[in-house]
Amino acid sequence: MRLNDDPEAFEAFYRRHVDAVMRFTVRRVSDPHLAADLTADIFLAVLDSAHTYVPTRGSETAWLYGIARNVVSAQHRKAARETRASGRVAGRRLMDDDDLARMEERIDAERRMRDALRAMDSLPEGERAVLELVVIDQLTVTEAARALGIRQVTARVRLHRARRALENVASPSAVYLEGQA
């Protein structure tokens, strides 16, 4: 069938079948706009696949209805996917501007913490241990010294050295860690 090469042949084919195709789609969908769109999609698919029509395999009407069935089935699958997707979202509260602002603040705070932890990796073990206990675990210097089995004055010196080292390595991290103790 030479529908895509011969506009007059396509027009004649269209006029022969458009009413039947429209009835086919209207029986399968309830929205008249969707039925019209599907009818147009069916004839576009006819143009795209006209080269595949083999007259010995059946009539052009049967071939056309095969295409129509595929186009309508594809639309039903698409609608089902959209329904499932909207069902997953239904009932969930959307984020407002305040929620977004809080989320941005959390991301910034976590970034600073990640930077601080990377900077802490460069510290000697003793200094890092005191800093973690005081800053992250919120122990007092006395409690940290007891947990580590060192004197309180040693813990204070190590904490001081750790904070000074972090100031030199990463200023935002050091400021964050300074504010924690």
Side-chain angles (χ1 to χ4, degrees):
M1 194 178 309
R2 306 291 300 174
L3 297 178
N4 50 359
D5 293 340
D6 186 356
E8 291 175 5
F10 178 73
E11 182 180 352
F13 180 86
Y14 178 83
R15 289 183 187 279
R16 274 193 314 274
H17 298 290
V18 70
D19 290 334
V21 170
M22 182 61 81
R23 283 191 305 274
F24 178 87
T25 58
V26 168
R27 285 191 304 268
R28 287 161 176 79
V29 297
S30 58
D31 179 5
H33 298 289
L34 180 58
D37 288 345
L38 288 172
T39 300
D41 290 345
I42 290 166
F43 282 101
L44 286 173
V46 163
L47 279 174
D48 287 342
S49 61
H51 67 281
T52 66
Y53 174 65
V54 179
T56 58
R57 296 173 107 189
S59 69
E60 69 181 25
T61 304
W63 174 74
L64 173 62
Y65 275 84
I67 291 172
R69 190 179 64 74
N70 289 338
V71 169
V72 171
S73 293
Q75 171 58 35
H76 286 305
R77 286 190 302 274
K78 177 183 173 191
R81 281 191 307 273
E82 288 172 356
T83 299
R84 283 192 305 272
S86 68
R88 288 191 296 266
V89 175
R92 295 190 178 151
R93 184 177 66 87
L94 298 176
M95 294 179 73
D96 62 16
D97 290 339
D98 291 337
D99 294 329
L100 289 173
R102 282 191 296 278
M103 184 68 72
E104 288 172 350
E105 289 170 6
R106 285 182 189 162
I107 290 170
D108 286 343
E110 291 301 320
R111 180 184 46 77
R112 286 192 301 266
M113 180 53 94
R114 285 190 303 275
D115 292 346
L117 291 173
R118 271 195 300 278
M120 286 174 58
D121 285 342
S122 66
L123 296 174
E125 175 59 32
E127 292 174 12
R128 185 174 64 242
V130 172
L131 187 65
E132 286 175 354
L133 290 173
V134 172
V135 174
I136 297 172
D137 297 316
Q138 300 293 303
L139 298 180
T140 65
V141 175
T142 303
E143 292 168 330
R146 285 191 188 126
L148 294 171
I150 59 176
R151 294 181 308 142
Q152 182 179 350
V153 81
T154 304
R156 284 191 190 285
V157 169
R158 288 181 182 176
L159 181 61
H160 176 76
R161 286 181 184 160
R163 285 181 170 160
R164 293 300 74 85
L166 290 180
E167 280 178 4
N168 295 333
V169 173
S171 180
S173 302
V175 169
Y176 181 78
L177 292 173
E178 283 287 339
Q180 294 295 311

